[in-house]
Amino acid sequence: MEQSQPAELRFLRLLASYLATQLAGDLRGVLRLLDESLARGASVTDLQCQVIQAAQRELGRLWQQGHIGIAQEHRATSISQVALAHLFSRAQPAPARGMSVAVACVEGELHEMPARLLSDFLELAGFTVIHLGANLPTDGLVSLLEREPPDVLALSVTMLFNIPALRRAVAEVRGRLGPALPILVGGLAINAHPGLVEELGVASAGPTPAELESSVLRAVARRLH
Ligand code: B12
């Protein structure tokens, strides 16, 4: 990155260019912008968080305030999905830790991007991720966990109306697999629902890669003791 400007300002400028290019539907332009930033020394993590994640939040604001339509949001989000995969392919993952995390959006939850971002952070931090995508029926989740038990289960919930599905998923997983599997929950709906984490007897984490990594490690350590 150009060193003459403070880092925060550089990322704000980059965010503005990314958002404009994304909203123009210019996929190749977005990938070029990311490659140029990497070549100037930006880290993959900074680009994931300060550019793509921040742009997605801004898209939400623009849509909510009626500045863009749903089709523009869909087009821009599909570009961010390719952008995340592009960055992932250019990142140097940490050495494998021999620990696995299953990541799923609860039944009804269509916001897959937050879970994708979480999976990419964890995979690059050396965990083996079983990414199960959006709107996973609870039965399917439990069957998979029985067949391929991970070290940790991470459930993503963005919409408050999907909290009942989260409650069902936690109850079913506990009922069929017992209490030993650590469950982490997160997403906008969890942030907006204080007390839920304690009530369900699960754990959560802050959204940064470092916070997620240490929460998964804590969850695994608790299971082993
Ligand atoms: C793209 C988008 C969509 C796309 C999603 C496509 C996809 N593939 O993901 C589609 C079109 C499907 C969609 C639909 C809807 N959406 Co929408 N959407 C968005 C938008 C613009 C971006 C989402 C995104 O890319 N997030 C990526 C990043 C930004 O997510 P993140 O939350 O920062 O992720 C981190 C943390 O949450 C955390 N985390 C997430 N999961 C987990 C799990 C664990 C275990 C842990 C520890 C941490 C963790 O870690 C992540 C990485 O740091 C958001 C705006 C926003 N602020 O997110 C609105 C937004 C979430 N949507 C919103 C709404 C209202 C809807 C709809 C109800 C619209 C409608 N009327 O149909 C539907 C609901 C669909 C459903 N049933 O789920 C609102 C929600 C408002 C609210 N709080 O109630 C938002 C906030 C927009 C807004 N400002 O109004 N949406």
Side-chain angles (χ1 to χ4, degrees):
M1 300 288 280
E2 288 161 37
Q3 295 307 315
S4 51
Q5 295 170 356
E8 276 169 30
L9 187 59
R10 287 200 301 272
F11 280 112
L12 281 178
R13 283 179 194 278
L14 188 55
L15 169 59
S17 308
Y18 178 94
L19 194 61
T21 313
Q22 172 189 36
L23 281 170
D26 181 1
L27 171 62
R28 289 184 192 287
V30 155
L31 301 185
R32 213 167 28 247
L33 205 60
L34 295 175
D35 284 340
E36 285 165 7
S37 306
L38 287 172
R40 288 198 216 106
S43 73
V44 166
T45 307
D46 279 340
L47 295 175
Q48 286 169 322
C49 300
Q50 303 206 46
V51 180
I52 300 181
Q53 187 174 21
Q56 288 302 112
R57 289 178 176 163
E58 183 58 11
L59 271 188
R61 197 188 62 77
L62 291 172
W63 170 73
Q64 189 183 30
Q65 295 180 354
H67 299 299
I68 60 170
I70 192 72
Q72 280 169 296
E73 173 281 310
H74 277 35
R75 179 171 72 177
T77 295
S78 80
I79 287 179
S80 278
Q81 287 173 316
V82 179
L84 272 189
H86 184 76
L87 279 181
F88 184 82
S89 72
R90 276 162 173 65
Q92 181 65 48
R97 295 171 185 270
M99 293 174 201
S100 59
V101 187
V103 176
C105 298
V106 298
E107 192 160 349
E109 182 56 71
L110 300 185
H111 293 92
E112 200 240 349
M113 273 281 284
R116 181 71 263 169
L117 207 48
L118 179 81
S119 290
D120 286 3
F121 291 161
L122 293 173
E123 187 82 42
L124 294 176
F127 298 97
T128 302
V129 174
I130 307 163
H131 182 82
L132 299 167
N135 185 23
L136 184 64
T138 306
D139 278 355
L141 170 68
V142 175
S143 309
L144 180 120
L145 297 175
E146 285 175 330
R147 267 199 323 275
E148 297 174 41
D151 294 301
V152 175
L153 170 63
L155 294 173
S156 182
V157 200
T158 297
M159 299 306 301
L160 276 171
F161 58 65
N162 287 322
I163 293 287
L166 171 70
R167 290 182 189 281
R168 274 196 305 279
V170 171
E172 283 283 311
V173 171
R174 295 265 192 257
R176 303 247 301 261
L177 283 99
L181 175 67
I183 303 178
L184 281 180
V185 301
L188 282 185
I190 303 299
N191 306 343
H193 203 303
L196 183 67
V197 168
E198 294 73 19
E199 184 202 320
L200 293 176
V202 294
S204 194
T208 66
E211 288 168 308
L212 288 166
E213 183 183 333
S214 51
S215 291
V216 173
L217 289 175
R218 269 199 308 277
V220 175
R222 270 199 302 275
R223 181 184 196 174
L224 297 176
H225 289 107

